[in-house]
Amino acid sequence: MDKELYRLYAKLPVFRRRIKRSMDVIREALSIPGAWAVSCSGGKDSVALLDLCIIAGWRGPLFHFWYDETPGENTELVRQMADKYGMQLHLLYVPGAWDVYQEVGHFFVHPETPDEKAATNRMLRQYKKILNEYVATQNWTGQFLGLRRNESRIRGMILAKKGTLYKTKNRSAWTACPLAEWDVRDVWAYTLLRGLPYLPRYEHAPEGERSEITWLAAESLWRYGMAARLKKEDPEEFNQLAVIWPEIRRYT
C-alpha cells in the first residue's frame, strides 16, 4: 500500500469533490423520513461509508449480513465499530457460495452444468429473499451500501441504470450508494485522512483487493492468482478447503 501516494491524492480537488457529492447523496437520503441502516461488510469501502454517514448526522442502526465464507475478521471489525459508536448492530446469516458447493458436491467458479446453474440460482433467490424480508421486518426506510461503479461491470451497469438513490418494485426500502463515483484511491485517501481502521490483509494486497474472496462468477480472479494468494496468506484454511473441494488446487 502506497500510503504517501494516497495522502497526496487526498489534497486534490477531485477528491474533495467526490466527498462533497457523497455527502449530498447521504443528506438527500436522510431527508426521506424514517430509519436508515448502513450495510457494513467490514471491508474498506463500507467502513469509509459508515464514517461519512456519521459525519452527516446518521446514528444507526448498523447492519452486517454474513455467510459461511465471510472471514471472521470482517465480522469482528463491524462489531468493534458498533461498540465504538454505541450503535445497534443487526447480524443476519444468509446463504453463500459454500452452500452451493456443498449441494453440488464440488468446487467451481462459473456455473456451467445444469446442476451448478440450478444450485447457484437457488442460493441467489434465497439470499435475496432472506435479506429483503429481514429489512422489511425492521421497517427501515432504506439502506446505505458501499457500492462503487468501477468495482465491476455489473455494479457499473446497476448504478448507471438506477442512480445513487433508488427504490425498486421488489424491495420495501430505498437504496443509497454514496460511494458510486469513488475509485480505490478515494477510499484509501479517505481511510488514511480520517484514521479509520482497516483489515490487516490490505497492507500487502493489490490495490483493488476485496476484503473477502469472490467465490462465484469470478473466473478471471481465480485464473490470475486469487487461490495462490489464499494459499500463501492462509495455508491452513486453503488446505482445509482443498480436502473438501480438491478442485480448488487447479487455480494455484
Side-chain angles (χ1 to χ4, degrees):
M1 184 193 302
D2 192 341
K3 294 182 180 180
E4 185 59 28
L5 174 65
Y6 297 133
R7 290 190 176 101
L8 290 172
Y9 178 81
K11 299 178 181 180
L12 297 179
V14 63
F15 175 69
R16 293 193 293 272
R17 286 196 299 269
R18 286 178 178 168
I19 290 180
K20 181 181 182 305
R21 172 57 182 152
S22 296
M23 296 299 286
D24 289 343
V25 173
I26 293 169
R27 290 179 176 130
E28 181 182 1
L30 293 177
S31 71
I32 303 173
W36 280 77
V38 167
S39 181
C40 187
S41 69
K44 61 187 184 304
D45 297 357
S46 59
V47 171
L49 171 65
L50 170 61
D51 189 75
L52 282 166
C53 289
I54 290 171
I55 292 174
W58 169 87
R59 289 297 180 269
L62 194 57
F63 184 36
H64 175 71
F65 56 88
W66 59 281
Y67 21 78
D68 286 337
E69 59 266 33
T70 300
E73 294 87 351
N74 287 54
T75 303
E76 180 57 31
L77 181 56
V78 177
R79 290 185 186 275
Q80 291 174 8
M81 298 296 283
D83 290 343
K84 177 180 179 180
Y85 295 108
M87 292 180 175
Q88 183 182 20
L89 176 60
H90 293 253
L91 297 173
L92 179 68
Y93 174 79
V94 294
W98 287 8
D99 297 282
V100 175
Y101 300 151
Q102 290 171 3
E103 180 178 342
V104 300
H106 61 264
F107 172 85
F108 62 91
V109 174
H110 189 77
E112 296 178 349
T113 70
D115 286 347
E116 291 171 354
K117 292 177 181 179
T120 300
N121 289 333
R122 276 194 295 272
M123 180 274 290
L124 292 173
R125 287 195 300 270
Q126 187 69 1
Y127 161 85
K128 293 177 182 178
K129 181 175 183 291
I130 292 173
L131 196 59
N132 292 337
E133 286 181 351
Y134 185 83
V135 171
T137 62
Q138 299 305 310
N139 293 317
W140 292 335
T141 294
Q143 283 189 83
F144 289 106
L145 303 180
L147 304 183
R148 293 188 289 110
R149 191 185 302 276
N150 68 359
E151 279 187 290
S152 69
R153 183 179 63 87
I154 293 177
R155 289 190 174 182
M157 291 171 59
I158 292 172
L159 290 168
K161 179 180 179 181
K162 298 181 179 178
T164 55
L165 179 61
Y166 61 89
K167 190 174 185 180
T168 61
K169 293 181 180 179
N170 61 346
R171 290 183 184 177
S172 61
W174 288 82
T175 299
C177 302
L179 305 188
E181 304 304 326
W182 287 32
D183 62 29
V184 70
R185 294 171 299 175
D186 297 293
V187 177
W188 281 120
Y190 187 83
T191 298
L192 296 175
L193 181 67
R194 295 284 297 163
L196 302 178
Y198 56 85
L199 299 166
R201 70 174 68 94
Y202 284 130
E203 283 286 355
H204 305 291
E207 183 180 65
E209 185 75 54
R210 289 173 57 88
S211 66
E212 54 189 283
I213 290 177
T214 304
W215 291 90
L216 285 171
E219 187 75 25
S220 62
L221 296 177
W222 287 97
R223 288 190 182 278
Y224 295 106
M226 187 158 62
R229 289 199 299 276
L230 174 62
K231 185 176 181 179
K232 179 181 178 180
E233 295 168 8
D234 196 339
E236 182 177 355
E237 180 180 1
F238 178 85
N239 289 327
Q240 289 174 350
L241 293 174
V243 170
I244 304 171
W245 302 305
E247 299 85 0
I248 196 174
R249 295 191 183 276
R250 298 176 188 168
Y251 295 90
T252 58

